[in-house]
Amino acid sequence: MPMPSSTATELPPTQAPLPAAAEHGSKTGFWALTLGSVGVVYGDIGTSPLYALKESLHAAAGGGHAPTRDMVFGVVSLILWALILIVTLKYVLIVMRADNGGEGGTPSLVALAQRALGHSGGFVIALGMVGVALFYGDAIITPAISVLSAVEGLKLVTPALEPYVLPVSLAILVGLFAVQSHGTARVAFFFGPITAFWFSVMALGGLSHLVEDLSILAALNPAHGIGFLLSHGTAGLLALGAVFLAVTGAEALYADMGHFGRSPIRTAWFGLVLPALALNYLGQGAMLLAHPERIENPFFLLYPSWALLPMVLLATVATVIASQAVITGTFSITQQAMQLGLLPRMRVLRTSETEKGQIYIPRVNWWLLAAVVLLAVLFKSSSALAAAYGIAVTGDMVITASLVFVVAWRFWRWPVAVAALVIAPFLLIELVFLSANALKLLHGGWVPLTIGAALVMAMWTWRRGSALVAEEIHRQRVPLPDFERMAEAGSLLRAPGTALFLTGSPGDTPGALMHNVKHNHVLHARNVILHVVTDDMPRVRQAEQVTVKPLSDVFTCVTVRFGFMDLPDLPRALAGAGFDAAGLSYFLTRRVLVASPETGMPVWQDRLYIAMARAATDASRYFRIPVDRAVEIGARIDI
């Protein structure tokens, strides 16, 4: 079989375009992407008015007390300026410039920062771990608080429905996760129009009360927000922590950039989302100036009594859409984290033959459902969950700001003073928000921190353990050139066909190859040393995936490159490079790991790594290797 030849070159991130329709395509394609972004990108931030102002004023007024006029003006001002500073200036205008091959999100930003630092920044990986962990905390809380806040509107329809709020919420959540395996392609078609209608209804509800008391427009003056903080002490800080609920979901603007492009997302924000949110918050404020007793649920009370039930149903649909976006994002983040070596391999399924981003990870889906249901049962209401929400979001935003500073300084080549001058104000604001949310640590804030700490420990253990395993394997291995000379000079039997031996170190002899020769005394006619590399690019073009380096008539070294958002399909990649997939046999090493006190980790951490390794999807399934073509050979490794 003639071996194909190929050269692989890395595409600079600035040459990887965003979706054509988004940046250069037809007007029809542009507006379709804009409408789609309304449903997917802004679903989470679009449900914040259900609880953000209510929880902020509860914190300011202290429980069931009615808010004063100064409180209303101050909190509404803080919310509006949070939307302007954090979402508009930071994310829409600055962070979205940091595209990695057109993709966004914490792992993309980590990869971009690592490339800017020449892979020398270990602290970047540490920040990435914390960011990913906090994203999971956010993803667990968002479906629970969003669905609960919507279904709680039933209590306003009639108090008799209050006992059914939690059961109905749980039923919706279970149903939402149960349909994930079918993919979101069909449902997503309706996301944009429904969410656009939701924003329009929110704007109308706010506008109807705004025109009754235009004095609330004074809240656009940031002096009201600053004065409120200075005059209310601890209550002001508690309210500030709740104010951040208004910008939850801002990370989605960046994370979903690759699906829609910058221009559609920005157009949707300035043309519909920001005006609708501002009108709704101003309308809630105007209503509370006249009727402070409506603080128990100011969002639903914007509407007449005959519209309550339709609004509850519409809000429920909107929160399901918001939750869907977070769940889909969790699958994407998990896939990227696996490819970057932060998490063990898990089974990833495609739910669409045409859309690369539509994937489903069964294990993550059911773990997420269990955590969401547990939170809903333990906290029982959106108000109780609100205290747990802010820390995860603010922590994630602080990490994003830190990574963007690195990218601006080292990748965009901004002078360090300019990068600091631009990024530091946002970082300072978010640190203030983080400090405010820290006051709620004992009232639910410990939840995302506990989840995050456990996940960071798991990711660090997996990364460190994998490095120790690689070191041990390298220590035991024979250099490939030495083995090649011995094998070709010996009298080994030659088996027909081509054998592929997977290895993590192409300069060493794969363990499966050594054991095959040692125990079977046979060498295939053609032997391919196969090395899989995950690039710090989102995707690698098929024509550039495979690099072939002939070593001799018997041995060939092949490198297959995947991006961190690619699904690693080895047979497809090799077939695309000219290999006869039907004639290949894959040899893999099945490692038996044993905890040892003499390695670089404590024994308890060794055992954690071993448990994660045993739970990981085996390499043959992860790389889509046909079962009847895979041969596994065992090897013991002490860690």
Side-chain angles (χ1 to χ4, degrees), residues 214-553:
L214 292 176
S215 66
I216 191 62
L217 291 175
L220 292 169
N221 183 350
H224 282 284
I226 296 171
F228 168 77
L229 291 177
L230 294 177
S231 61
H232 284 77
T234 302
L237 282 176
L238 288 171
L240 187 64
V243 163
F244 213 81
L245 296 172
V247 296
T248 57
E251 287 282 335
L253 277 73
Y254 180 50
D256 290 321
M257 184 171 61
H259 295 284
F260 301 99
R262 281 189 295 263
S263 294
I265 292 175
R266 286 173 172 169
T267 300
W269 174 252
F270 288 111
L272 174 63
V273 179
L274 178 58
L277 291 174
L279 285 172
N280 190 269
Y281 285 121
L282 287 168
Q284 289 190 49
M287 180 187 69
L288 291 173
L289 289 177
H291 304 283
E293 72 279 0
R294 296 186 180 180
I295 186 59
E296 282 307 311
N297 210 317
F299 178 84
F300 285 111
L301 292 175
L302 286 175
Y303 303 92
S305 57
W306 58 265
L308 276 179
L309 186 57
M311 281 304 301
V312 170
L313 296 176
L314 180 59
T316 302
V317 173
T319 55
V320 168
I321 292 174
S323 301
Q324 176 63 62
V326 172
I327 295 167
T328 303
T330 305
F331 295 153
S332 178
I333 291 291
T334 301
Q335 180 197 1
Q336 295 177 44
M338 286 190 294
Q339 289 286 68
L340 291 173
L342 301 180
L343 290 172
R345 296 185 298 260
M346 286 179 271
R347 190 182 181 199
V348 180
L349 304 176
R350 285 189 183 275
T351 58
S352 170
E353 292 297 325
T354 57
E355 298 297 326
K356 292 183 178 180
Q358 292 189 14
I359 59 174
Y360 170 66
I361 305 179
R363 192 175 297 175
V364 172
N365 186 66
W366 301 120
W367 284 350
L368 203 58
L369 171 61
V372 169
V373 168
L374 181 62
L375 276 188
V377 171
L378 288 177
F379 285 85
K380 294 183 174 60
S381 72
S382 61
S383 294
L385 267 172
Y389 205 7
I391 289 182
V393 180
T394 50
D396 208 6
M397 289 184 174
V398 166
I399 288 169
T400 296
S402 303
L403 292 172
V404 169
F405 169 76
V406 174
V407 172
W409 170 36
R410 297 296 295 270
F411 195 76
W412 296 341
R413 304 296 182 185
W414 289 8
V416 64
V418 174
L421 189 64
V422 173
I423 304 301
F426 299 111
L427 190 58
L428 179 62
I429 292 170
E430 287 162 357
L431 285 172
V432 171
F433 276 116
L434 183 60
S435 301
N437 277 288
L439 296 175
K440 299 182 290 185
L441 189 62
L442 299 179
H443 301 282
W446 58 271
V447 173
L449 290 184
T450 303
I451 295 169
L455 286 169
V456 167
M457 176 55 67
M459 284 186 281
W460 185 83
T461 298
W462 181 254
R463 188 173 177 84
R464 177 61 180 152
S466 298
L468 291 173
V469 168
E471 291 173 7
E472 180 65 16
I473 292 172
H474 180 71
R475 188 182 65 81
Q476 297 176 2
R477 290 278 171 86
V478 175
L480 184 58
D482 295 347
F483 179 87
E484 182 185 346
R485 286 192 295 269
M486 290 186 296
E488 293 184 347
S491 57
L492 295 171
L493 294 175
R494 296 299 176 95
T498 302
L500 289 91
F501 297 90
L502 268 71
T503 179
S505 178
D508 297 328
T509 307
L513 175 55
M514 292 180 60
H515 286 81
N516 189 44
V517 169
K518 178 181 178 181
H519 296 291
N520 298 326
H521 307 289
V522 65
L523 188 69
H524 280 74
R526 289 170 295 276
N527 298 271
V528 176
I529 310 303
L530 186 61
H531 181 46
V532 178
V533 176
T534 299
D535 276 356
D536 54 10
M537 299 172 60
R539 294 185 176 88
V540 176
R541 293 171 181 167
Q542 187 174 13
E544 300 170 339
Q545 278 187 324
V546 181
T547 303
V548 179
K549 181 183 178 182
L551 303 176
S552 67
D553 293 338

